[in-house]
């Protein structure tokens, strides 16, 4: 800044700056704008005399940058590549001098550990510049470099502290909650939001679902560049998310400082831990054996989240969890991931957890859940990772706060004898997710569907030839995602009336033996974005697309089907798949013809062919050639043998 601008208050500075801009070309930079309102207040004061002056402002929030009404699209900064990271590291350590060739490999390794964050690279370079330029010294530094080393520096703490302090109160809690998970873990977004809701972080707003509000919270944190997207959902939204190691270290430290959450790992930490008064949350990343041996005693604990130190593997078999229910009676959240519960039944002691809102268990042998679970009147999420089908009692229909019921092996829900009359039905009005539901009898199946009027995500296994009501979903007006697995050996569906809700966005079918002629009913769904046909979902050699079908479809998957001819009713029409982006073909060996319209869809981005044979690959290569001739150079063909 020029000397003449020094020592001026903000109003005098703004007035003087505006006068300068009228007469001369100036570049004005506003750094770290946190609120768009501040920019609007400043922006109206600057003249637009078209004399070549420019104004640039930076913000850590993508949401703020996107609200600027002029000046073009904001320039988003992305993580540096490994090469760019190393170049920045060299510049900060050696300045204009060259980095010795012998240190290149170690320098690349050090830069890679910073995971593309420029500030982390600058902090590391500042430490490295003070060390001797010797191979052994650099090797020792590379081996000892962790996120803890970087996060302990004042420069990094001040930067993150600023971002944290500018968060609204509810988002502070949501961000600190990431410290409960394992470092570098790609967290399921739906699971994370269920936990936020169970913890009470999500504010209730009349007329809105808590899941939608929680998703807004997550997108806000992503927009502020504090949380990163791991994978997107096929129908929009985030499937997995994570935070950088350095933000993880910050959250862990801040959560402990605020007495928000305590994180423990390993037997030493568990056995020597002294519980502070009224500890609200405890996250343990250890082996199940260490957890049990430590005899941890926190009777007033509100949330207990256990994660196996080695994700994906069950290191410890637990034969009884009754003692947990006896000690931790105030729990709202109980997550026992990574412990294999060796019990066929959920113990009756579970009913002592009267405050429980979130329960997640894993058992390879559990096959029945006793009526005691229905006494958990506040339970919102019940997740059981079990390979066997689990029976839930008919008293489950009294649990009005249930939002998510997810059982990998499948769930059978009972009905009492007086539920045959529609007027007597007791519903679960807040149920958002139910998987995987087994439907057996026509009448009971219909009554069960009537009991979940507001469900949005539903997985059904049609077990038995007589049950056909699972194909009539029209009453589920809120349903967005439906997975329907049938029994193709139970007879043809030629005379079955099919009906799906108009709001459906994702539809996955398998083992239905659905006649190709019935496909037109699905093609006309106005909001369908993802459609997956797998494992004998369709019966017949010829599928003819109807004109105007699939108006919003973006992803189409065809797998393990016996289709031979796939064509369109009018090859000269361009009214097919106007929005299609991804086509995935797998285990399709007899296909001889594909719709000619696929050659001219400008939105098509990828075609994946997995174990389909040379004939199908040739058809796809023809599509690729025509697409490129019409200017679609970005089309990717992925062949997996």
């Amino acid at each position: 800044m020029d000397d003449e601008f020094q020592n001026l208050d903000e109003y005098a500075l703004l007035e003087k700056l505006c006068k300068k801009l009228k007469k001369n070309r100036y570049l004005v930079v506003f750094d770290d704008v946190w609120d768009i309102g501040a920019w609007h207040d400043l922006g109206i004061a600057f003249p637009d005399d078209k004399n070549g002056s420019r104004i640039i402002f930076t913000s850590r929030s993508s949401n703020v940058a996107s609200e600027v009404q002029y000046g073009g699209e904001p320039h988003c900064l992305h993580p540096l590549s490994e090469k760019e990271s190393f170049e920045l590291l060299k510049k900060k350590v050696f300045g204009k001098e060259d980095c010795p060739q012998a240190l290149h490999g170690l320098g690349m390794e050090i830069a890679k550990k910073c995971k593309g964050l420029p500030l982390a690279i600058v902090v590391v370079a500042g430490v490295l510049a003070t060390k001797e330029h010797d191979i052994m010294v650099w090797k020792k530094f590379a081996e000892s470099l962790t996120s803890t080393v970087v996060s302990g520096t004042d420069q990094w703490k001040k930067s993150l502290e600023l971002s944290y302090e500018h968060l609204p109160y509810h988002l502070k809690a949501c961000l600190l909650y990431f410290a409960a998970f394992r470092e570098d873990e790609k967290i399921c977004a739906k699971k994370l939001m269920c936990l936020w809701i169970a913890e009470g972080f999500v504010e209730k707003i009349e007329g809105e679902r808590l899941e939608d509000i929680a998703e807004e919270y997550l997108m806000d944190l992503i927009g502020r560049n504090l949380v990163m997207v791991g994978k997107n959902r096929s129908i929009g939204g985030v499937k997995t998310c994570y935070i950088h190691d350095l933000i993880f270290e910050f959250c862990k430290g801040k959560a402990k400082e605020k007495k928000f959450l305590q994180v423990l790992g390993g037997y030493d930490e568990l056995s020597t831990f002294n519980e502070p008064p009224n500890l609200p949350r405890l996250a343990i990343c250890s082996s199940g054996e260490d957890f049990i041996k430590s005899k941890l005693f926190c009777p007033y604990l509100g949330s207990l989240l256990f994660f196996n130190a080695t994700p994906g593997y069950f290191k410890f078999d637990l034969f009884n969890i009754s003692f947990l229910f006896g000690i931790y009676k105030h729990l709202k959240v109980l997550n026992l991931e990574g412990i294999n519960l060796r019990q066929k039944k959920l113990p009756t002691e579970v009913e002592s957890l009267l405050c429980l809102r979130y329960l997640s268990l894993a058992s390879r042998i559990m096959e029945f859940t006793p009526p005691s679970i229905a006494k958990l009147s506040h339970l919102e999420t019940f997740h059981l990772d079990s390979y066997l089908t689990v029976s839930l009692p008919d008293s489950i229909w009294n649990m009005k706060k249930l939002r998510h019921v997810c059982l990998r092996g499948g769930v059978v829900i009972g009905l009492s004898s007086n539920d045959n009359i529609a007027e007597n039905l007791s519903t679960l009005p807040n149920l958002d997710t139910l998987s995987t539901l087994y439907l057996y009898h026509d009448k009971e199946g219909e009554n069960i569907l009537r009991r979940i009027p507001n469900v949005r995500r539903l997985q059904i296994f049609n077990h038995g030839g007589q049950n056909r009501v699972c194909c009539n979903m029209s009453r589920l007006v809120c349903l967005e995602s439906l997975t329907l697995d049938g029994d193709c050996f139970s007879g043809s569906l030629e005379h079955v009336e099919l009906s799906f809700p108009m709001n459906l966005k994702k539809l996955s079918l398998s083992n239905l033996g659905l006649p190709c002629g019935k496909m037109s009913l699905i093609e006309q769904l106005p909001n369908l974005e993802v459609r997956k046909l797998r494992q004998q979902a369709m019966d017949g050699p010829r599928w003819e697309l109807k004109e105007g079908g699939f108006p919003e479809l973006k992803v189409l998957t065809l797998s393990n089907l016996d289709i031979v001819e796939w064509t369109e009713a009018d090859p000269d029409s361009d009214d097919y798949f106007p929005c299609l982006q991804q086509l995935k073909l797998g285990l399709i060996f007899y296909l001889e013809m594909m719709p000619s319209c696929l050659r001219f869809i400008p939105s098509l981005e990828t075609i994946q062919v997995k174990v389909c044979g040379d004939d199908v690959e040739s058809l796809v290569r023809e599509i690729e050639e025509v697409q490129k001739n019409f200017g679609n150079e970005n089309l990717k063909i992925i062949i997996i043998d």
Side-chain angles (χ1 to χ4, degrees), residues 622-635:
E622 290 178 13
I623 294 172
E624 178 187 27
E625 183 178 352
V626 176
Q627 281 272 357
K628 290 189 174 180
N629 288 338
F630 276 83
N632 189 0
E633 296 290 338
N634 297 321
L635 177 62

Side-chain angles (χ1 to χ4, degrees), residues 12 52 127 170 357 413:
V127 178
H170 62 275
R357 299 178 184 174
I413 305 179

Side-chain angles (χ1 to χ4, degrees), residues 35-79:
D35 184 0
I36 193 63
W39 164 246
H40 288 156
D41 292 341
L42 284 171
I44 58 176
F46 288 105
D48 185 11
D49 293 332
K50 297 181 174 57
N51 65 347
S53 293
R54 294 289 185 266
I55 297 174
I56 297 177
F57 78 82
T58 66
S59 177
R60 302 188 196 188
S61 172
S62 303
N63 300 329
V64 171
S66 63
E67 288 189 47
V68 177
Q69 300 298 319
Y70 48 86
E73 292 296 318
H75 176 68
C76 297
L77 297 178
H78 300 285

Side-chain angles (χ1 to χ4, degrees), residues 130-201:
T130 65
K131 296 185 178 295
E132 186 180 350
H133 298 165
D134 176 79
I135 293 178
M136 295 308 297
V137 174
W138 277 45
K139 184 177 181 181
K140 186 177 180 181
F141 179 79
E143 291 172 350
S144 64
L145 180 60
T146 63
S147 53
T148 308
V149 173
V150 182
S151 63
T153 62
D154 288 339
Q155 186 178 6
W156 179 258
K157 280 183 177 178
K158 288 178 181 177
S159 177
L160 269 186
E161 191 73 44
L162 200 57
S163 292
Y164 175 77
E165 290 301 330
H166 276 84
L167 289 175
Y169 179 78
H170 62 275
L171 288 187
K172 287 180 179 178
C174 292
L175 178 64
L176 294 185
Y177 207 77
F178 277 87
F181 296 87
R182 290 174 290 244
E183 188 171 357
D184 289 326
E185 181 178 358
K186 300 295 190 295
I187 304 165
C188 173
K190 285 198 290 187
K191 172 184 174 180
L192 177 65
M193 290 185 284
C194 286
L195 285 165
W196 284 352
I197 292 170
E199 293 282 4
F201 300 158

